[in-house]
């Protein structure tokens, strides 16, 4: 008789692994967040943008609007920024007194620790009671300029860290509601109260759960020092002027989303690589090695299949499972998303089941699209009609579950009897839109191009110009993957013929972001060579 032992494998836990890919170009930085190799977040910013959420300005009140109970403040932007009475904050009296004391005596900055706080600012009141035209006011940007509107401001100054947020002139400690353990909430509150400096309120973020006192104390001291170091600019500067500049977009994004699930952070620029590595070594020394400098020949977004996902994910029509697709429309007031079953309409599982399955899959793609495009404001979703209330409830619950990881504040309403779901989502910067107009790199805005059969002749002239006129002997040529394959094919390829003809070193690199007849030249120092001037080939 044999005794058989049955081995039961432990239940596999599905852990989402995240990667961050940063593409640094001369004029812009693009940041992509991947979850299990799938693109879920994307940010793209020009490197010369001076306005960003978190920046603190010394502004000047330009106009009071009693009807709106708000003021327009000059912070140096072409459109005056908007400051509502409710955004002055409970500690505005103390902040205003500190600012006036500093400006009246520009020899020494008052110590915030020795500052006598004033009574709380009333929640109900009028803007004319709080401000007058021409006043200097210390403000912080909470929304970037969107469309024709200027920045949105607040006078509730805050300095955000990885675990804590410090607010000057307050005296409270608040713990994130997302920390569910009562014991942990009490521990964190008592801990912060014991180390909190005078005249500072502190918000304990969710990521502080389980952290030791030494880590929290170090970050709190860093945030307080940030106030002390930057407020000295009030002694020298006049309104409007920048007082504190928020950390770079890369580091700010890391600060908000960094988690133990991060496996890699890839960066193609040495300076940004050092900046990010220093930040990671500060907040999580054991994870410093995940920051890697990308040095591959392929463009970094092509290497990680991000370019393809961008091109397929930002159109008006977005396909997902089994032929179903979304139609996404943008207006000034809202975003409208229509769910279509596509060829799933031929399914034999029944109309109600088909509608339920398509809607559940659509909800996952919609949640991804909201994060990916950073869509905000009002979003109306037209799901496929379902007759059973249980299915509508299941869809509502599913949408709330998959949007739980969305960092933007949002509110979801149940599916109506018409199959509509309404979502409001916080908007702090313009929605990403890839329909930007540029001068055609092939026709230079003329509207006509040479026949594609002559493209190799044009490219040959450009290579000759690089070598003969610009005197560059080693360079890289980026072209569409199809063109790169043609240039590199064969033993005696076009690339080999160029090398023999012009006695130079050339690398031909496929780039998915380029058009079919588009090309770019770079020297050995990664500087782009301007070959758009047609006179070079005259």
């Amino acid at each position: 008789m044999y005794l058989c032992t049955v081995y039961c494998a432990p239940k596999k836990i599905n852990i989402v692994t995240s990667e961050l890919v940063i593409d640094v170009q001369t004029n812009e930085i693009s940041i992509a967040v991947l979850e299990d190799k799938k693109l879920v977040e994307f940010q793209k910013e020009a490197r010369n943008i001076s306005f960003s959420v978190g920046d603190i300005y010394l502004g000047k009140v330009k106009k009071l609007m009693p009807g709106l109970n708000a003021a327009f403040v000059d912070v140096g932007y072409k459109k005056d920024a908007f400051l509502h009475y409710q955004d002055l904050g409970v500690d505005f009296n103390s902040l205003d007194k500190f600012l006036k004391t500093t400006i009246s005596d520009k020899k020494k900055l008052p110590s915030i620790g020795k500052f006598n706080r004033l009574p709380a600012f009333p929640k109900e009141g009028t803007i004319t009671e709080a401000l007058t035209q021409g006043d200097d006011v210390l403000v912080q940007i909470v929304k970037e300029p969107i469309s024709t509107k200027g920045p949105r401001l607040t006078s509730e100054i805050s300095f955000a860290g990885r675990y804590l947020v410090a607010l000057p002139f307050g005296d409270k400690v608040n713990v994130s509601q997302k920390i569910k353990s009562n014991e942990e909430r009490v521990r964190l509150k008592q801990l912060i109260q014991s180390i909190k400096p005078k005249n500072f309120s502190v918000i304990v973020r969710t990521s502080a759960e389980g952290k030791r006192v030494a880590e929290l104390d170090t970050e709190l001291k860093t945030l307080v020092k940030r106030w002390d170091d930057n407020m000295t600019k009030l002694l020298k500067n006049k309104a409007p002027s920048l007082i504190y500049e928020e950390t770079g977009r890369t580091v700010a994004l890391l600060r908000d989303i960094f988690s133990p699930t991060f496996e890699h952070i890839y960066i193609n620029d040495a300076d940004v690589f050092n900046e990010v590595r220093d930040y990671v070594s500060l907040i999580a020394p054991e994870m410093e090695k995940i920051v890697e400098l990308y040095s591959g020949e392929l463009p970094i977004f092509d290497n990680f299949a991000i370019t393809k996902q961008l091109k397929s994910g930002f159109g008006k029509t977005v396909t997902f499972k089994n032929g179903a697709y979304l139609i996404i429309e943008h207006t000034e007031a809202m975003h409208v998303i229509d769910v279509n079953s596509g060829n799933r309409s031929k399914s034999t599982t029944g109309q109600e089941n088909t509608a339920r399955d398509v809607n559940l899959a659509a909800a996952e793609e919609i949640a991804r699209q909201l994060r990916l495009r950073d869509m905000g404001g009002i979003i109306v979703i037209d799901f496929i009609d379902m007759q059973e209330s249980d299915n509508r409830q299941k869809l509502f619950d599913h949408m709330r579950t998959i949007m739980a990881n969305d960092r933007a504040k949002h509110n979801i309403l149940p599916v109506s009897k018409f199959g509509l779901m309404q979502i409001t989502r916080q908007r702090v910067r313009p929605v990403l839109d890839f329909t930007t107009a540029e001068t055609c790199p092939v026709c230079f805005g003329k509207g006509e191009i040479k026949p594609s059969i002559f493209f190799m002749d044009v490219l040959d002239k450009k290579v000759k110009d690089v070598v003969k006129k610009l005197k560059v002997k080693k360079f890289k040529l980026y072209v569409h993957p199809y063109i790169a394959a043609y240039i590199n094919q064969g033993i005696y390829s076009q690339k080999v013929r160029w090398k023999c003809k012009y006695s130079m070193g050339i690398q031909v690199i496929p780039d998915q972001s380029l058009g079919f007849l588009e090309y770019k030249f770079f020297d050995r120092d990664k500087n782009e060579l301007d070959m758009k001037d047609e006179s070079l080939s005259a």
Side-chain angles (χ1 to χ4, degrees):
M1 183 176 181
Y2 295 93
L3 180 63
C4 297
T5 302
V6 179
Y7 172 72
C8 295
K11 186 177 180 180
K12 185 177 181 180
I13 301 175
N14 185 26
I15 300 177
V16 176
T17 57
S18 301
E19 294 175 304
L20 195 69
V21 183
I22 303 170
D23 181 20
V24 182
Q25 299 296 330
T26 304
N27 299 320
E28 63 187 17
I29 296 181
S30 299
I31 302 170
V33 179
L34 304 177
E35 291 182 358
D36 293 335
K37 306 297 181 182
K38 192 171 185 179
L39 182 66
V40 294
E41 289 189 36
F42 181 75
Q43 295 290 342
K44 187 175 184 179
E45 288 191 0
R47 301 188 73 173
N48 59 354
I49 285 182
S50 58
F51 284 84
S52 63
V53 174
D55 287 355
I56 298 175
Y57 285 83
L58 176 62
K60 186 173 289 290
V61 178
K62 299 293 288 185
K63 187 187 299 183
L64 297 177
M65 302 294 290
L68 298 175
N69 204 17
F72 285 100
V73 180
D74 180 14
V75 292
Y77 190 64
K78 59 183 179 181
K79 291 277 188 179
D80 289 338
F82 183 81
L83 176 64
H84 194 273
Y85 178 88
Q86 297 291 340
D87 293 324
L88 291 175
V90 68
D91 298 311
F92 179 73
N93 283 333
S94 298
L95 177 65
D96 189 49
K97 177 185 175 182
F98 174 87
L99 180 61
K100 289 178 178 177
T101 302
T102 303
I103 293 176
S104 63
D105 181 10
K106 293 199 172 187
K107 295 180 181 179
K108 185 179 179 182
L109 185 73
S111 171
I112 188 172
K114 299 178 181 180
F115 194 81
N116 293 321
R117 295 171 54 237
L118 295 179
F121 189 71
K123 293 183 179 180
E124 301 295 332
T126 62
I127 195 69
T128 53
E129 296 172 342
L131 298 171
T132 58
Q133 188 172 338
D135 280 353
D136 288 337
V137 59
L138 198 62
V139 290
Q140 188 168 30
I141 293 182
V142 291
K143 281 188 180 181
E144 291 182 2
I146 297 175
S147 186
T148 58
K149 302 176 183 177
R152 179 75 182 258
L153 304 176
T154 180
S155 283
E156 289 190 279
I157 306 300
S158 63
F159 295 89
R162 171 69 179 143
Y163 308 119
L164 307 171
V165 179
L167 299 89
F169 301 107
D171 194 32
K172 296 180 180 179
V173 176
N174 294 316
V175 182
S176 170
Q177 295 293 330
K178 292 184 179 180
I179 299 178
K180 301 301 181 183
S181 169
N182 288 330
E183 292 81 359
E184 180 64 7
R185 291 171 59 84
V186 171
R187 181 188 79 88
L188 288 170
K189 189 167 187 176
Q190 292 177 345
L191 189 157
I192 297 300
Q193 284 176 335
S194 67
I195 63 175
K196 182 182 72 65
K198 186 180 178 181
N199 289 339
F200 270 94
S201 288
V202 178
I203 299 173
V204 182
R205 306 183 73 175
T206 309
S207 56
E209 187 172 8
K211 298 302 177 183
R212 297 172 299 174
V213 61
E215 296 176 271
L216 300 179
D217 184 50
T218 299
E219 180 168 282
L220 185 55
K221 288 179 179 177
T222 301
L223 298 178
V224 173
K225 187 175 185 298
R226 195 174 293 172
W227 162 270
D228 293 333
D229 291 345
N230 287 277
M231 289 306 112
T232 57
K233 297 176 185 177
L234 293 173
L235 302 174
K236 305 174 184 177
N237 299 356
K238 294 183 179 180
S241 62
L242 176 65
I243 301 300
Y244 165 71
E245 187 171 10
E246 179 62 288
T247 53
R249 184 73 193 112
T250 307
V251 173
L253 182 63
L254 266 179
R255 183 188 64 203
D256 293 336
I257 69 172
F258 191 86
S259 73
T261 62
F262 267 56
E263 288 191 340
H264 300 282
I265 300 174
Y266 299 102
I267 308 165
N268 65 347
D269 180 84
D271 292 336
V272 178
F273 163 76
N274 290 327
E275 179 186 352
V276 172
R277 185 181 59 180
D278 291 345
Y279 179 75
V280 173
S281 65
L282 177 66
I283 65 171
E286 71 282 0
M287 298 184 68
E288 181 181 350
K289 293 182 179 179
I290 71 172
V291 185
E292 302 178 34
L293 181 63
Y294 176 77
S295 57
E297 293 297 340
L298 282 176
I300 188 169
F301 274 9
D302 286 8
N303 187 72
F304 294 99
I306 295 171
T307 305
K308 183 177 180 180
Q309 293 189 60
L310 284 172
K311 290 188 175 182
S312 63
F314 275 92
K316 177 181 176 180
T317 302
V318 178
T319 59
F320 55 103
K321 294 182 179 179
N322 300 320
Y325 60 95
L326 308 174
I327 302 292
I328 303 177
E329 297 277 4
H330 304 276
T331 70
E332 184 69 20
M334 66 176 64
H335 307 280
V336 181
I337 304 176
D338 184 35
V339 179
N340 295 274
S341 60
N343 58 22
R344 283 294 298 269
S345 59
K346 300 178 182 179
S347 174
T348 59
T349 58
Q351 182 177 348
E352 183 72 13
N353 291 338
T354 297
R356 181 199 61 208
D357 294 344
V358 171
N359 286 338
L360 292 176
E364 295 183 11
E365 181 60 30
I366 290 169
R368 171 176 171 263
Q369 288 289 328
L370 296 184
R371 293 175 62 188
L372 184 59
R373 304 185 188 214
D374 205 8
M375 295 163 62
I378 300 173
I379 300 107
V380 178
I381 307 167
D382 183 10
F383 284 104
I384 300 173
D385 290 343
M386 295 182 294
Q387 302 301 320
E388 297 180 13
S389 59
D390 288 346
N391 286 335
R392 293 196 294 271
Q393 183 64 37
K394 184 180 293 185
L395 175 60
F396 175 59
D397 294 339
H398 185 59
M399 179 62 83
R400 288 197 301 178
T401 300
I402 58 181
M403 287 195 65
N405 293 329
D406 193 334
R407 299 190 314 277
K409 295 179 183 178
H410 58 271
N411 186 34
I412 306 171
L413 297 182
V415 182
S416 72
K417 63 180 180 180
F418 299 113
L420 300 178
M421 176 182 287
Q422 299 176 67
I423 299 176
T424 59
R425 187 174 183 272
Q426 182 186 31
R427 178 171 61 182
V428 296
R429 58 181 54 86
V431 62
L432 282 176
D433 191 355
F434 273 41
T435 58
T436 54
E438 297 180 354
T439 301
C440 174
V442 180
C443 71
F444 305 98
K446 293 180 179 179
E448 295 181 354
I449 65 173
K450 296 178 181 179
S452 57
I453 193 172
F454 297 129
F455 178 64
M456 290 310 301
D457 295 334
V458 174
L459 209 53
D460 184 72
K461 289 182 179 180
K462 296 296 183 182
V463 171
K464 179 181 178 181
D465 290 338
V466 170
V467 178
K468 301 295 185 181
K469 294 185 178 181
L470 301 183
K471 306 298 182 183
V472 178
K473 292 294 184 181
K474 290 187 177 181
F475 56 91
K476 295 178 181 179
L477 170 61
Y478 287 79
V479 290
H480 188 277
Y482 289 166
I483 302 298
Y486 175 80
I487 295 174
N488 289 318
Q489 73 174 353
I491 298 176
Y492 192 55
S493 64
Q494 180 63 53
K495 184 175 75 171
V496 172
R497 291 200 295 270
W498 279 338
K499 286 184 176 182
C500 295
K501 185 177 180 180
Y502 300 115
S503 300
M504 49 68 180
I506 180 174
Q507 288 180 275
V508 180
I509 300 171
D511 188 341
Q512 295 178 7
S513 67
L514 296 180
F516 189 68
L517 300 182
E518 193 177 356
Y519 52 84
K520 290 182 180 180
F521 288 87
F522 289 84
D523 62 19
R524 63 168 65 184
D525 297 322
K526 297 184 179 180
N527 298 314
E528 184 175 358
L529 305 175
D530 185 8
M531 303 305 297
K532 294 182 180 180
D533 185 359
E534 293 178 289
S535 64
L536 285 172
S537 295

